[in-house]
Amino acid sequence: MGRSPCCDKAGLKKGPWTPEEDQKLLAYIEEHGHGSWRSLPEKAGLQRCGKSCRLRWTNYLRPDIKRGKFTVQEEQTIIQLHALLGNRWSAIATHLPKRTDNEIKNYWNTHLKKRLIKMGIDPVTHKHKNETLSSSTGQSKNAATLSHMAQWESARLEAEARLARESKLLHLQHYENNNNLNKSAAPQQHCFTQKTSTNWTKPNQGNGDQQLESPTSTVTFSENLLMPLGIPTDSSRNRNNNNNESSAMIELAVSSSTSSDVSLVKEHEHDWIRQINCGSGGIGEGFTSLLIGDSVGRSLPTGKNEATAGVGNESEYNYYEDNKNYWNSILNLVDSSPSDSATMF
DNA sequence: AAATATCGCAACCGCTTTGGT
DNA sequence: AACCAAAGCGGTTGCGATATT
């Protein structure tokens, strides 16, 4: 059987989008939200299939997309996350705010992959050729360890999403109950429009704030998101938290996570990681922070005492040390890459 | 200047997952 | 539980731009 293609209707246009089509799509979504993608093209007066419209929107027209050159930081993040997660572009994209998975995927395939190959690093295993050659003599431990850790990270991400979904149900119920009780005291600040994965809506409709918002975009309550966890944000350092928001709402923001909300939370995890690496401390040595942080890759403690701080015994020390060395080697190779290091990163 | 090769990226394809009925 | 529609996702393709011969 199989599903019939969505674009097989005669007369539907394919290929590059014209500025006129972009304008129609933008105008329609600004006015109505996307609603059902399938019915959108007809309503918007476009000779396209819904899927094509959705892709054009999510990969190009969405206002929360950052376009243009990737920064050094972004490149490093992609390389490191790819070593960890493989070709899971959407997962990688959650750590790169405002970049789409498609853009990251393209950038990897056209730039980073080739660059690693040029440097003698296998873009699949992220191991240097020399290391590959000597792996038969027992140095494959790093790869095995990394693989093991990657499995844990994958499991963690999945569990996180599952828990988030479950807690959302609970908290939505909680919120609805509260909302029914306190309709007159509805929170003013949060743009709590729609956070399902299916419907994009325009926040603050009618109040002059026309900022568009996609299911995976950051929302305006984002920084409050981290407050209850004790995670500092830039603005939280600079201003007092506005405690007018109901704590229930904040709690909801943190825990109500559909898959799209997970990405939202993860987007901030990126900042969180940065905070940890900047030495805010106290959050515990998360796996991700251990692997991704510059502080790990670039300024590893050389003394065993420092390295083993918080690590219980010799085998655990080796475990961490192995991975630090692994990332160190990647970053050192990248840093000391011959000839065009200036353009490299 | 023309032909050819290579690169970069938007868009497509098809499979999987999710959510509603 | 089964079915279906829609969204998510990753691999691949097509084509315009640019570099090289």
Side-chain angles (χ1 to χ4, degrees), chain A residues 287-298:
Chain A
F287 171 76
T288 313
S289 66
L290 180 69
L291 284 176
I292 294 169
D294 273 355
S295 59
V296 172
R298 311 244 175 208

Side-chain angles (χ1 to χ4, degrees), chain A residues 11-268:
Chain A
L12 287 190
K13 197 180 165 211
K14 286 163 121 185
W17 281 65
T18 65
E20 290 74 29
E21 287 177 310
D22 282 347
Q23 198 48 51
K24 277 184 182 176
L25 182 57
L26 259 175
Y28 182 85
I29 293 179
E30 276 184 18
E31 182 75 20
H32 305 99
H34 64 63
S36 162
W37 285 110
R38 176 161 281 209
S39 60
L40 182 146
E42 195 183 344
K43 291 178 187 167
L46 289 161
Q47 301 296 309
R48 294 270 181 176
C49 72
K51 190 172 183 176
S52 179
C53 294
R54 181 171 60 82
L55 280 170
R56 183 63 179 172
W57 170 256
T58 56
N59 287 334
Y60 196 85
L61 294 175
R62 241 171 53 191
D64 57 344
I65 290 177
K66 172 179 162 189
R67 307 193 68 76
K69 217 170 179 296
F70 279 73
T71 65
V72 173
Q73 192 67 45
E74 286 174 319
E75 289 182 342
Q76 287 177 356
T77 303
I78 293 169
I79 291 170
Q80 292 166 355
L81 285 171
H82 185 272
L84 176 65
L85 299 169
N87 293 355
R88 294 174 60 192
W89 305 115
S90 63
I92 293 172
T94 62
H95 291 274
L96 288 154
K98 303 188 176 185
R99 297 289 190 183
T100 67
D101 54 353
N102 203 38
E103 195 179 11
I104 292 168
K105 178 176 63 182
N106 282 333
Y107 194 71
W108 170 264
N109 286 328
T110 56
H111 291 91
L112 300 179
K113 195 167 149 186
K114 291 172 187 170
R115 201 179 287 172
L116 290 185
I117 291 169
K118 214 172 174 180
M119 287 154 56
I121 297 171
D122 183 340
V124 178
T125 63
H126 288 255
K127 287 172 69 176
H128 198 271
K129 275 176 191 162
N130 295 341
E131 197 181 346
T132 308
L133 287 173
S134 59
S135 65
S136 58
T137 63
Q139 291 186 15
S140 59
K141 192 179 167 187
N142 278 347
T145 304
L146 185 72
S147 168
H148 184 208
M149 293 173 84
Q151 284 175 27
W152 273 103
E153 175 66 358
S154 291
R156 187 186 68 78
L157 288 171
E158 280 160 20
E160 193 176 85
R162 196 166 48 243
L163 282 169
R165 273 197 303 275
E166 286 166 9
S167 66
K168 183 196 176 181
L169 288 173
L170 287 172
H171 283 279
L172 277 178
Q173 280 181 337
H174 173 71
Y175 172 61
E176 275 180 13
N177 290 342
N178 279 355
N179 205 28
N180 289 337
L181 291 172
N182 303 307
K183 274 224 163 79
S184 61
Q188 300 293 314
Q189 185 157 351
H190 297 306
C191 305
F192 237 87
T193 52
Q194 182 122 6
K195 293 307 295 181
T196 71
S197 58
T198 53
N199 283 316
W200 173 87
T201 59
K202 184 170 65 178
N204 294 342
Q205 189 144 11
N207 72 352
D209 181 354
Q210 301 299 300
Q211 182 194 9
L212 295 171
E213 185 179 318
S214 73
T216 54
S217 68
T218 306
V219 288
T220 50
F221 57 73
S222 58
E223 293 189 345
N224 291 330
L225 212 66
L226 300 178
M227 296 293 189
L229 301 176
I231 301 163
T233 65
D234 286 339
S235 57
S236 72
R237 281 192 298 272
N238 296 332
R239 61 168 168 75
N240 291 329
N241 185 14
N242 182 348
N243 287 321
N244 291 336
E245 292 90 7
S246 97
S247 56
M249 288 295 286
I250 296 173
E251 192 185 358
L252 176 63
V254 172
S255 56
S256 70
S257 301
T258 61
S259 56
S260 61
D261 290 326
V262 169
S263 69
L264 176 144
V265 170
K266 286 205 175 80
E267 203 167 286
H268 291 281

Side-chain angles (χ1 to χ4, degrees), chain A residues 2-18:
Chain A
R3 190 182 306 166
S4 62
C6 66
C7 308
D8 60 352
K9 278 191 215 159
L12 287 190
K13 197 180 165 211
K14 286 163 121 185
W17 281 65
T18 65

